Amino acid sequence: MERVDVAIIGCGPAGLSAAINAKWRGKEVVLFGTKLCSPALHKAHQIDNYLGFPAMAGEDLRQRFLEHAESMGIKPELQTVSAAYPMSGYFELQLRNDNLQVTTLVLATGVAVARPLPGEEKYIGRGISYCATCDGNFYRGKVVAVISEDAHGEEEALFLASLAEKVYYLPLYAPVGRLPENVEIVDDKPAEFSGGDRLEKLELKSGKSLDIDGCFVLKEQLPLTQLVPGLELADRHIKVDRRMATNIPGLFAAGDVAGRPYQLAKAVAEGQLAALSAVSYIDSQKK
Amino acid sequence: MERVDVAIIGCGPAGLSAAINAKWRGKEVVLFGTKLCSPALHKAHQIDNYLGFPAMAGEDLRQRFLEHAESMGIKPELQTVSAAYPMSGYFELQLRNDNLQVTTLVLATGVAVARPLPGEEKYIGRGISYCATCDGNFYRGKVVAVISEDAHGEEEALFLASLAEKVYYLPLYAPVGRLPENVEIVDDKPAEFSGGDRLEKLELKSGKSLDIDGCFVLKEQLPLTQLVPGLELADRHIKVDRRMATNIPGLFAAGDVAGRPYQLAKAVAEGQLAALSAVSYIDSQKK
């Protein structure tokens, strides 16, 4: 399998800055992102402290950032990376329908707004999964729930419906397309996961609960330690040094996910530093 | 004496970013700088990695940066700070003809291009000085040399000529204005300081030498440890943590002086971080 030099997760200011700098240094770059790339920037009425460009609307900056990247041939791929496994000298990225090998990885995912549900972390790997393609086969003939932040989840539910006896589908958005008969759309909100050693129930906000064997939680923001096993955190952010290196060789982090203050200029600089560090890492591996 | 909240030395990207952020947070700011503020930016043909604004001439960015600061009422004062003494809860800055008390200090001086001359560091305080106003009186009736990077040095030579028996003036620039009779303009370059326990000679590039009691070295970039006594360095840069704090409480550093890589976005971000840290420090002192 071909290996990409630098994969970047997140297309906010940190991720885009990492992308343009890595590309500028002649590396092959793949950038994974979400639709808006930076909801915070999109919503910012006016930004006055990006040196040289006072009184800019956040949305104007967001578009200029994307255009800058596009002018260098970089376009975010709207795809969720459900896991990144550190291997010997590279990372194996788990995508929806594919795997990808990359030499270095920059995490620029921003800060997770949503916290995990009660019980979610307890049952990871014991009923809770973040990737239907990867783990669907474990639930042949069983009952599963799917909690999804967006319509991509319907594809996953469709796939799971072909394996499982019954699928409960909890959309955290509207509307929902047509799904097979064994998929029940649940008009309720998830509240808590419970069970014994393995996951058994999904408790709902209404007080009802669903008896399930497994649950696929499909969201843009994965818990960081779930995304990269073994990643060291510090106070809910990724622990980095001044070169944006994490505890895992070849893995770098930048922007809000790497710590406060949550500031644009910091994100841009850290994206650049992470990219330069990734480039050095790649070059040192080749020696 | 009134105290200024935040003094910043250096008006390149790091210093200007510190200034706009500190001002934005409602602090009184004084910014000391040199004529071009950032010679490196001034000379840069094109900068492509300041996110959002590709293909900018360095000089265009430099002017936009200064205009941004000016739009907030910040203008660099063209004055050299010859020393900053950490006192209890504030800093005493030594200016050409005045002292200034400041609560916090941000060093954003860039990287010194010129290294100290051989022997310079050995004779600091034993014949070598960086401030005529401060130390001129020690040389009444004696012979001194003045090495100056710019025409400000002529004022200093004039002052010293009123005290010393003889002044050798070594301009590292051209041209030179009129100076008193006991000032001899030396058309040569300084090479090395020598002597016994105290400074005795200034050796010149031509092979000649000057017998002197003292030498005033007037340059924009002072050795960092001379500028702030007790400042901890790491590998010729100022040692800082991720919040840009140095080993001295209330003292912060940003930009190239705080370490590699020498990059614009890093300087802008670090200036901001240093300012935010200075603001936090001031607010915590008031409690």
Side-chain angles (χ1 to χ4, degrees):
Chain A
M1 191 188 271
E2 219 185 317
R3 268 183 214 166
V4 173
D5 293 325
V6 185
I8 300 159
I9 306 181
C11 55
L16 289 171
S17 179
I20 65 168
N21 280 283
K23 184 100 183 205
W24 194 253
R25 295 284 171 122
K27 300 304 173 194
E28 200 190 346
V29 171
V30 59
L31 177 64
F32 296 102
T34 52
K35 209 176 150 201
L36 276 178
C37 285
S38 174
L41 199 53
H42 172 64
K43 279 182 229 156
H45 173 61
Q46 185 172 305
I47 290 172
D48 275 292
N49 59 4
Y50 192 56
L51 187 66
F53 304 90
M56 295 283 289
E59 176 59 17
D60 285 352
L61 275 177
R62 195 184 72 86
Q63 290 191 13
R64 273 170 179 265
F65 291 171
L66 284 165
E67 283 162 17
H68 190 161
E70 228 168 291
S71 76
M72 294 181 66
I74 301 158
K75 236 184 130 98
E77 295 193 22
L78 299 179
Q79 174 145 205
T80 301
V81 178
S82 56
Y85 298 106
M87 314 299 277
S88 175
Y90 69 98
F91 295 85
E92 184 89 29
L93 301 193
Q94 201 173 64
L95 308 180
R96 185 166 293 121
N97 299 310
D98 203 3
N99 275 16
L100 180 70
Q101 291 188 0
V102 302
T103 306
T104 62
L105 178 62
V106 176
L107 299 178
T109 54
V111 272
V113 182
R115 295 188 179 222
L117 284 172
E120 181 173 332
E121 286 170 316
K122 181 181 173 189
Y123 290 109
I124 288 173
R126 289 187 290 163
I128 286 185
S129 166
Y130 300 98
C131 176
T133 314
C134 324
D135 300 328
N137 272 302
F138 298 126
Y139 296 96
R140 282 188 184 275
K142 301 206 169 173
V143 180
V144 298
V146 174
I147 301 170
S148 179
E149 285 185 346
D150 61 36
H152 277 306
E154 295 173 35
E155 291 167 38
E156 309 282 25
L158 198 64
F159 167 66
L160 288 166
S162 71
L163 300 166
E165 186 196 317
K166 165 108 189 165
V167 177
Y168 292 108
Y169 189 66
L170 290 89
L172 305 180
Y173 63 93
V176 178
R178 288 183 58 139
L179 289 166
E181 270 185 18
N182 64 338
V183 178
E184 180 179 335
I185 292 167
V186 180
D187 185 18
D188 208 330
K189 294 264 179 290
E192 185 171 352
F193 296 101
S194 62
D197 187 42
R198 276 192 61 91
L199 175 64
E200 290 167 13
K201 266 185 204 305
L202 170 54
E203 322 270 358
L204 303 174
K205 283 265 162 75
S206 64
K208 288 182 202 161
S209 72
L210 305 173
D211 291 324
I212 52 174
D213 299 303
C215 182
F216 292 86
V217 184
L218 309 176
K219 48 187 177 186
E220 288 188 342
Q221 285 281 2
L222 293 182
L224 288 167
T225 47
Q226 166 64 16
L227 182 59
V228 188
L231 179 60
E232 197 179 332
L233 302 188
D235 192 22
R236 306 192 65 227
H237 297 104
I238 299 173
K239 193 174 170 188
V240 290
D241 64 15
R242 285 195 71 212
R243 295 297 182 94
M244 312 317 293
T246 68
N247 67 311
I248 296 171
L251 182 68
F252 306 89
D256 294 355
V257 76
R260 292 175 186 277
Y262 301 152
Q263 291 284 340
L264 173 57
K266 170 180 168 287
V268 171
E270 289 185 352
Q272 178 180 41
L273 292 174
L276 296 180
S277 295
V279 169
S280 294
Y281 178 85
I282 293 165
D283 294 345
S284 74
Q285 296 291 95
K286 282 179 188 153
K287 271 170 199 162
Chain B
M1 191 189 270
E2 219 186 316
R3 267 184 215 166
V4 172
D5 294 325
V6 185
I8 299 159
I9 305 181
C11 55
L16 289 170
S17 180
I20 65 168
N21 280 283
K23 184 101 184 206
W24 194 253
R25 295 284 171 123
K27 301 304 173 194
E28 200 189 345
V29 171
V30 58
L31 177 64
F32 296 102
T34 51
K35 209 175 150 200
L36 276 177
C37 284
S38 174
L41 199 53
H42 172 65
K43 279 182 233 157
H45 173 62
Q46 184 171 308
I47 290 171
D48 274 293
N49 59 3
Y50 192 56
L51 187 66
F53 303 91
M56 295 283 288
E59 177 58 18
D60 286 351
L61 275 177
R62 194 184 73 86
Q63 291 192 12
R64 274 170 178 265
F65 291 171
L66 283 165
E67 283 161 17
H68 190 161
E70 229 169 289
S71 76
M72 295 181 68
I74 300 158
K75 235 184 129 99
E77 296 192 22
L78 298 180
Q79 175 145 204
T80 302
V81 178
S82 55
Y85 297 106
M87 314 298 277
S88 176
Y90 69 98
F91 295 85
E92 184 90 28
L93 301 193
Q94 201 174 65
L95 308 180
R96 185 165 295 120
N97 299 309
D98 203 4
N99 275 16
L100 180 70
Q101 291 187 1
V102 302
T103 307
T104 61
L105 178 61
V106 176
L107 299 178
T109 53
V111 271
V113 182
R115 296 190 177 218
L117 285 172
E120 181 173 333
E121 286 170 317
K122 181 181 172 189
Y123 290 110
I124 288 173
R126 290 187 288 164
I128 286 185
S129 166
Y130 299 99
C131 175
T133 314
C134 324
D135 300 329
N137 271 301
F138 298 126
Y139 296 95
R140 281 189 185 274
K142 300 206 171 173
V143 180
V144 297
V146 175
I147 300 170
S148 179
E149 284 185 346
D150 60 37
H152 278 306
E154 296 173 33
E155 292 167 37
E156 309 283 26
L158 199 62
F159 168 67
L160 288 166
S162 70
L163 301 166
E165 186 195 316
K166 166 109 190 164
V167 177
Y168 292 108
Y169 188 66
L170 290 88
L172 305 181
Y173 63 95
V176 177
R178 286 183 58 139
L179 289 167
E181 270 184 20
N182 65 336
V183 178
E184 179 180 336
I185 294 167
V186 180
D187 185 19
D188 208 329
K189 294 262 177 292
E192 184 171 354
F193 295 101
S194 62
D197 187 42
R198 275 192 61 90
L199 175 64
E200 291 168 15
K201 266 185 205 305
L202 170 54
E203 323 269 357
L204 302 174
K205 283 264 163 78
S206 63
K208 288 180 201 163
S209 71
L210 305 173
D211 290 324
I212 52 173
D213 299 304
C215 183
F216 292 86
V217 184
L218 309 176
K219 49 187 176 184
E220 289 188 341
Q221 286 280 1
L222 292 182
L224 290 166
T225 47
Q226 165 66 13
L227 182 59
V228 187
L231 179 61
E232 198 180 332
L233 302 189
D235 193 22
R236 306 193 66 228
H237 297 103
I238 298 173
K239 194 175 169 188
V240 290
D241 64 15
R242 283 196 72 211
R243 295 297 181 97
M244 311 318 292
T246 69
N247 67 312
I248 297 171
L251 182 68
F252 306 89
D256 293 355
V257 77
R260 293 175 186 275
Y262 302 151
Q263 290 285 341
L264 174 57
K266 169 179 168 289
V268 171
E270 289 185 352
Q272 178 179 42
L273 293 173
L276 297 180
S277 295
V279 170
S280 295
Y281 177 85
I282 293 165
D283 294 345
S284 74
Q285 296 290 95
K286 282 182 188 152
K287 271 171 198 161

